[in-house]
Amino acid sequence: MTKNNTHFTCPGLKYFVLGLLLLIGGPLLAAGRAADAVSARHRTAAPLQLHLPSPDWRDQVLYFVMTDRFADGDPRNNDQGAGEYRPGDDSRYQGGDLAGLTRQLDYIQGLGATGLWITPPVANQWVSPGGSDTGYHGYWAQHFKQVDPHLGSLADYRRLSDALHRRGMRLVQDIVVNHTGNYFGYGPDWTADDPARGYLAHAGTPPVARPMQPPFDRNDPRDPVARRAGIYHWTPDVRDYNDPLQEQRFQMGGLDDLNTDNPVVRRALRASYGHWIEAVGVDAFRVDTAFYVPPGYFADFMFSRDAQAPGMAEVARRTGRSDFLVFGEGFGIDRPGDDTQARRIESYVRGPEGQALMSGMLNFPLYGALGDVFARGRPPAELADRIRRMLKVHRQPHRMPSFVDNHDVDRFLAGSSEAGLRQALLALMTLPGIPVIYYGTEQGFTAQRAAMFAAGAGSGGRDRYDTGAPLYRAIAELAAMRRSHRVFSRGWPTVLHGNEARAGALAWRVDRQAGCAAAGSAFVVFNTGDGDSLLPAMATGLPAGAVLQGVHGLHGRPQDLVVGPGGWVTLQLASRSGQVWVATSKRSSAVAAAGTVTIDAADPGRMAGRGPAGRALAGYAMRRESVERHEGDFAVGGTARGVQALQLVVDGDLSQALAVTPDASGRWQALVDSSAMVDPDHRHSVVAWAGGQTVSAVRSFRVVRPWQTVVDQADPAGDDHGPDGRITYPTDPGWGERRQMDLRHVRVDTAGGALRLVLTMNQLSRSWNPPNGFDHVAFTVFIGLPGRDDGAKVMPLQHTEVPGGMRWHLRLRAGGWSNALYSWVGATAGSEGKAVIPGATLAVDAAAATVSLTLPAAALGGLKSLSGLRLYVTTWDYDGGYRPLGPQAGPHSMGGGTADGPRVMDDSGVITLP
């Protein structure tokens, strides 16, 4: 708690008091003179610049920090004496504070950020019941109107706001309206009609036994007054996030759920958060766990006309802010072809009758697609589909903060390459939305919440504010490009190309006016694959001869382009490249193609409009069309005029292009190798290309190849107790009797060089609403490729080795929030090794309790046969790392072992494919 300085407002009264002090004695006279000097300094100091008009939020770039992990500006506030501070321990406070943030603003602004988003600075519950975790992150409030002592004082916060505003930057504060800290819970005898029954007070958690701020201090239903007040919902933990009642009224992870339907609660929250706008000059709010509060709540929070505690829009207006941004967190990710979660997210921005709620929401569906395409090597058509759906579903996509990772999910680099991250960041900076850079991304962080300062956990023992770091410079350049070309922050994209079958070419055009290509329009082009790719005949929408100026490239600034006849441009793209051109008003002579190449139309008998399961097979935009189907290799042919040689390019993959020589009559013919094509839902493409702009039309097809079951292996029930039979599940009831780590059956299917692993579990749950459809278990699959004697034995981060003399070459880690494939190269006991693509496709059947993991042939080295391949499957759980193991189980840690014991709850044994 901070104390406000007392100032005399009447000069006569001040000197009368000083006269009395003369009579009282010398010591008090000295104190009076000191107070007078302090008052004089306050009169001469420049006033703090706390309030600025709202910016155009579309043009902003936010830098998101976890304050405790960023910079320690005042070591005196680190340790509050409750056992909560332990440098180097990721579960404890590390010492970052508001003063540290203020000192590092040059670093943040130099990155290109125009705003700083900080985790909640409010007074928190410091230690969880049981002592296993701490509230260093700020999301366990005990007083919504006070600064937590670990972070400094109100004066420190005001100085941070002033320093930002003097730079023209903005301050974004994370807030929570759904819950407080964990001050009470319920036992198994809880009933909805008697909130006192089964009530368990957590009175021993420092610094206080209950929230100190009224009315949130009324948290004991055994007290008739508190019970009647109804400040809380008096509920146990959520067991099923699919139940709307539980989702919006039960406790999330033990955090006490506020009754946001109660007018008293609503007023208290408005008063609390209005305080930060007025007293500190906060420019925007991010609302944590918004999905767990009814959407209608935010109409009151934003626009209430309560004279004593008005809505945030009115409070901000009184400080000169006409556009106070409030955006919420709604953790929902859609699979390709679906926008269910996107529509739910939009329901928190506009009500059913179109009424305004929040300003925007975090764009989680876009985050999911960015990771799938750039980190895991999924077909670019999936991101293309997400962009189209984003523009269709969201009325104001430019006001939706977008991101590639954050504090609640794996770091991008924990499961991908720097090349993939650079591509994802380029996409972030050129699509509608407010780009958010999570602290440490610019320094190549792989740990979810590592510290930036030397004394903090995960820092490697050194400060990490390196403005010369390659990623720091890359992000700064991207931010400068976005700032120089407002079409990226205010324009509208049109997808031009997205490879549907494999990693490869992806392109979109960004126009000032939606769908209208003109001078100033920008073209953003990627190759997400690890080999060169062909982008055939991209339709620019511009006239022949239009000049495209190269403005940015991940591998160097690209050369200018001239649009060819018909408005087409064909590009040969280097692996993992990303390039940006801007259309100019200049005109040049269009470069005509050197000859002509055609490809014959498909046999009408091979045409089909729907796949074997009845699903529309027209790419992720779900257009109805006819596409030829094959069950194996097939021949294609065509003509070539003025061309001596050409290449047959399948799915844009130039590394596998087939050289073809036309005969004397100009005819050519070749065989398409379909051995690596196993997914009937993938639309493949083949073109004939003679170099430059000489390319045939695209011919599309699908391959339907049957899967063969090669292993069908049962696993004993109830053997999920670790290698020595003593490991126990965490004590949190989310595990309990569900035994989600008990592997019951393993089936292995192959189709040529592709692999499908179907794992049947004792039970699947999705209590925490995971995007991958299951939680409370993570699978680690080790794959030994046939015919090789190299590889690794160590199981990274799991404190053991693969059994049976096996060596592995690929390692797949898949859980509710992660899905990453690694090579054995660089793998050690403490490092997962090199991330590789393409990754696995996940499918979940909750009713059957199965998780299917499918790896295409390209992921396994393009083998024609998988005979002799070895597999080893293990279960545990993963949350930013494999869950801890100790002698005694905790709420979210395993028991029955030692800290360095094997992280294996159940396993399949080593399986060798026949």
Side-chain angles (χ1 to χ4, degrees):
M1 179 182 293
T2 59
K3 295 181 180 179
N4 294 322
N5 291 324
T6 300
H7 301 283
F8 291 96
T9 56
C10 174
L13 178 59
K14 178 177 72 172
Y15 290 110
F16 173 75
V17 172
L18 290 177
L20 290 177
L21 291 176
L22 284 171
L23 298 175
I24 294 173
L28 290 181
L29 177 60
R33 287 173 177 168
D36 196 35
V38 170
S39 180
R41 286 197 297 273
H42 276 264
R43 289 196 302 271
T44 58
L48 296 178
Q49 190 170 337
L50 300 182
H51 303 297
L52 290 182
S54 298
D56 189 327
W57 287 105
R58 297 175 299 175
D59 299 333
Q60 307 310 301
V61 175
L62 301 181
Y63 187 74
F64 174 34
V65 302
M66 182 159 282
T67 307
D68 176 70
R69 303 300 162 93
F70 190 74
D72 185 358
D74 185 0
R76 296 172 300 176
N77 60 30
N78 292 352
D79 191 347
Q80 300 293 326
E84 82 291 356
Y85 173 67
R86 191 181 303 157
D89 184 341
D90 187 68
S91 70
R92 260 41 192 177
Y93 285 84
Q94 298 301 297
D97 51 32
L98 297 166
L101 286 173
T102 304
R103 292 183 183 181
Q104 293 296 337
L105 292 184
D106 282 346
Y107 172 86
I108 295 170
Q109 189 173 35
L111 188 65
T114 62
L116 175 64
W117 162 14
I118 68 171
T119 45
V122 302
N124 256 235
Q125 182 182 40
W126 294 343
V127 182
S128 66
S132 61
D133 298 298
T134 63
Y136 67 85
H137 41 69
Y139 296 97
W140 297 350
Q142 68 92 355
H143 201 302
F144 291 106
K145 295 180 73 172
Q146 294 178 356
V147 173
D148 193 276
H150 292 93
L151 306 183
S153 65
L154 178 63
D156 291 326
Y157 198 12
R158 286 163 59 87
R159 280 191 286 270
L160 173 62
S161 175
D162 172 69
L164 284 164
H165 290 156
R166 290 183 186 280
R167 295 167 177 265
M169 299 175 71
R170 297 305 192 273
L171 174 60
V172 182
Q173 178 177 317
D174 219 322
I175 68 170
V176 183
V177 298
N178 177 68
H179 57 262
T180 65
N182 184 1
Y183 292 99
F184 67 84
Y186 280 93
D189 52 346
W190 171 84
T191 61
D193 57 352
D194 183 4
R197 186 175 180 181
Y199 177 87
L200 301 171
H202 301 150
T205 61
V208 292
R210 65 177 64 188
M212 296 299 291
Q213 178 187 5
F216 309 111
D217 55 347
R218 304 174 195 166
N219 73 339
D220 190 340
R222 297 171 300 185
D223 175 0
V225 174
R227 182 169 176 170
R228 286 194 300 271
I231 303 302
Y232 296 89
H233 277 136
W234 313 125
T235 47
D237 281 1
V238 175
R239 294 293 298 269
D240 181 5
Y241 279 91
N242 291 315
D243 180 349
L245 178 66
Q246 290 191 43
E247 184 179 53
Q248 296 189 351
R249 298 177 67 90
F250 281 35
Q251 294 192 5
M252 182 186 64
L255 301 173
D256 304 344
D257 201 74
L258 292 170
N259 180 6
T260 51
D261 292 329
N262 187 329
V264 175
V265 172
R266 291 185 170 197
R267 171 179 281 189
L269 290 172
R270 292 196 307 271
S272 296
Y273 291 122
H275 162 75
W276 299 112
I277 300 173
E278 295 173 329
V280 174
V282 171
D283 299 292
F285 287 148
R286 177 266 193 182
V287 182
D288 182 64
T289 55
F291 267 2
Y292 309 118
V293 178
Y297 164 80
F298 293 101
D300 176 83
F301 182 73
M302 290 294 296
F303 306 112
S304 172
R305 298 181 179 180
D306 185 335
Q308 296 183 13
M312 299 306 100
E314 175 59 20
V315 175
R317 186 192 64 78
R318 295 175 184 177
T319 65
R321 295 171 172 85
S322 60
D323 185 15
F324 188 81
L325 185 75
V326 176
F327 59 94
E329 176 206 25
F331 204 135
I333 296 176
D334 288 309
R335 294 192 175 277
D338 187 21
D339 54 26
T340 301
Q341 294 299 323
R343 293 185 182 280
R344 185 183 181 201
I345 285 169
E346 184 67 10
S347 73
Y348 280 77
V349 179
R350 295 283 172 180
E353 304 301 323
Q355 65 271 36
L357 300 174
M358 281 190 281
S359 316
M361 290 281 284
L362 285 164
N363 199 337
F364 269 94
L366 180 61
Y367 149 77
L370 290 170
D372 282 344
V373 170
F374 294 120
R376 289 177 283 280
R378 295 290 301 161
E382 296 185 6
L383 178 55
D385 173 66
R386 183 56 46 210
I387 294 169
R388 294 186 187 102
R389 291 178 182 275
M390 174 179 73
L391 299 177
K392 179 180 179 180
V393 171
H394 303 299
R395 296 189 186 185
Q396 294 183 300
H398 300 84
R399 291 164 65 85
M400 298 180 70
S402 50
F403 58 100
V404 300
D405 56 15
N406 65 25
H407 60 317
D408 287 329
V409 299
D410 279 358
R411 290 272 189 179
F412 192 98
L413 287 178
S416 185
S417 64
E418 183 176 316
L421 175 59
R422 288 171 179 261
Q423 289 188 313
L425 291 168
L426 174 56
L428 198 72
M429 292 288 189
T430 57
L431 288 172
I434 304 170
V436 178
I437 306 300
Y438 182 42
Y439 85 94
T441 297
E442 73 283 2
Q443 299 298 332
F445 277 20
T446 57
Q448 192 180 69
R449 300 181 180 184
M452 292 280 285
F453 53 97
S459 68
R462 62 186 177 90
D463 287 344
R464 306 297 290 270
Y465 313 105
D466 181 5
T467 58
L471 282 170
Y472 183 99
R473 296 199 306 269
I475 293 171
E477 290 172 2
L478 288 172
M481 178 193 71
R482 177 182 164 88
R483 189 166 54 250
S484 298
H485 300 278
R486 291 298 189 199
V487 69
F488 294 122
S489 59
R490 304 182 186 186
W492 297 88
T494 298
V495 175
L496 303 179
H497 184 87
N499 197 318
E500 294 190 40
R502 62 182 302 277
L506 170 67
W508 58 77
R509 186 186 71 232
V510 189
D511 306 315
R512 292 192 178 97
Q513 184 177 348
C516 296
S521 293
F523 295 82
V524 185
V525 181
F526 299 92
N527 174 13
T528 66
D530 287 333
D532 286 3
S533 186
L534 182 70
L535 173 52
M538 178 179 73
T540 66
L542 296 170
V547 176
L548 307 182
Q549 179 185 9
V551 297
H552 187 84
L554 298 181
H555 298 165
R557 182 174 173 175
Q559 293 183 346
D560 293 355
L561 298 176
V562 177
V563 176
W568 306 94
V569 171
T570 294
L571 298 172
Q572 182 175 352
L573 305 174
S575 64
R576 283 297 190 176
S577 60
Q579 300 169 89
V580 180
W581 291 269
V582 172
T584 70
S585 57
K586 299 178 182 178
R587 293 291 181 269
S588 180
S589 299
V591 178
T596 60
V597 178
T598 68
I599 191 168
D600 295 339
D603 179 355
R606 290 282 184 182
M607 306 304 287
R610 304 190 74 85
R615 173 183 165 189
L617 297 177
Y620 296 104
M622 296 301 172
R623 300 179 302 272
R624 181 62 184 266
E625 64 178 7
S626 293
V627 179
E628 61 181 293
R629 294 174 60 192
H630 298 274
E631 297 178 357
D633 299 348
F634 62 97
V636 294
T639 64
R641 299 286 184 264
V643 171
Q644 300 300 313
L646 56 87
Q647 296 181 74
L648 191 69
V649 183
V650 178
D651 293 330
D653 186 2
L654 287 171
S655 67
Q656 299 296 318
L658 181 66
V660 179
T661 301
D663 63 21
S665 68
R667 289 289 304 175
W668 62 267
Q669 190 169 21
L671 192 68
V672 174
D673 180 359
S674 65
S675 60
M677 305 174 188
V678 296
D679 190 340
D681 285 348
H682 281 171
R683 184 173 67 173
H684 300 274
S685 66
V686 57
V687 298
W689 180 52
Q693 301 299 308
T694 307
V695 65
S696 72
V698 176
R699 179 166 159 181
S700 298
F701 64 94
R702 302 186 190 279
V703 173
V704 180
R705 186 181 297 276
W707 288 89
Q708 302 290 331
T709 297
V710 296
V711 173
D712 199 25
Q713 172 180 299
D715 192 85
D719 64 340
D720 47 332
H721 295 294
D724 60 4
R726 295 186 297 179
I727 305 300
T728 59
Y729 279 83
T731 58
D732 184 271
W735 277 279
E737 296 303 315
R738 299 184 183 188
R739 312 188 74 90
Q740 297 98 321
M741 299 181 221
D742 187 5
L743 181 64
R744 302 295 299 275
H745 195 275
V746 178
R747 193 184 86 215
V748 183
D749 302 333
T750 62
L755 176 74
R756 181 168 65 198
L757 192 60
V758 182
L759 306 175
T760 303
M761 309 304 295
N762 178 64
Q763 190 176 139
L764 289 179
S765 63
R766 55 186 312 270
S767 303
W768 298 323
N769 196 28
N772 288 342
F774 64 95
D775 55 24
H776 288 80
V777 63
F779 305 99
T780 309
V781 182
F782 298 87
I783 303 171
L785 299 177
R788 295 176 57 170
D789 56 8
D790 57 357
K793 291 183 178 180
V794 66
M795 294 168 57
L797 312 181
Q798 290 184 267
H799 301 278
T800 188
E801 294 184 346
V802 288
M806 176 181 171
R807 289 182 177 272
W808 63 270
H809 305 98
L810 295 169
R811 171 177 166 270
L812 172 63
R813 174 171 54 76
W817 288 264
S818 60
N819 174 17
L821 184 67
Y822 300 91
S823 163
W824 71 281
V825 177
T828 65
S831 172
E832 296 193 277
K834 179 183 178 182
V836 294
I837 63 168
T841 301
L842 272 68
V844 177
D845 185 337
T850 62
V851 176
S852 299
L853 307 167
T854 303
L855 284 167
L860 301 172
L863 300 173
K864 298 294 185 182
S865 169
L866 298 183
S867 177
L869 181 141
R870 307 186 82 190
L871 293 168
Y872 178 58
V873 182
T874 70
T875 68
W876 195 257
D877 196 28
Y878 191 93
D879 182 19
Y882 290 93
R883 289 196 183 276
L885 172 65
Q888 302 296 323
H892 302 288
S893 60
M894 316 297 176
T898 60
D900 58 354
R903 266 62 165 174
V904 176
M905 187 66 89
D906 199 356
D907 70 359
S908 65
V910 176
I911 300 171
T912 302
L913 303 195

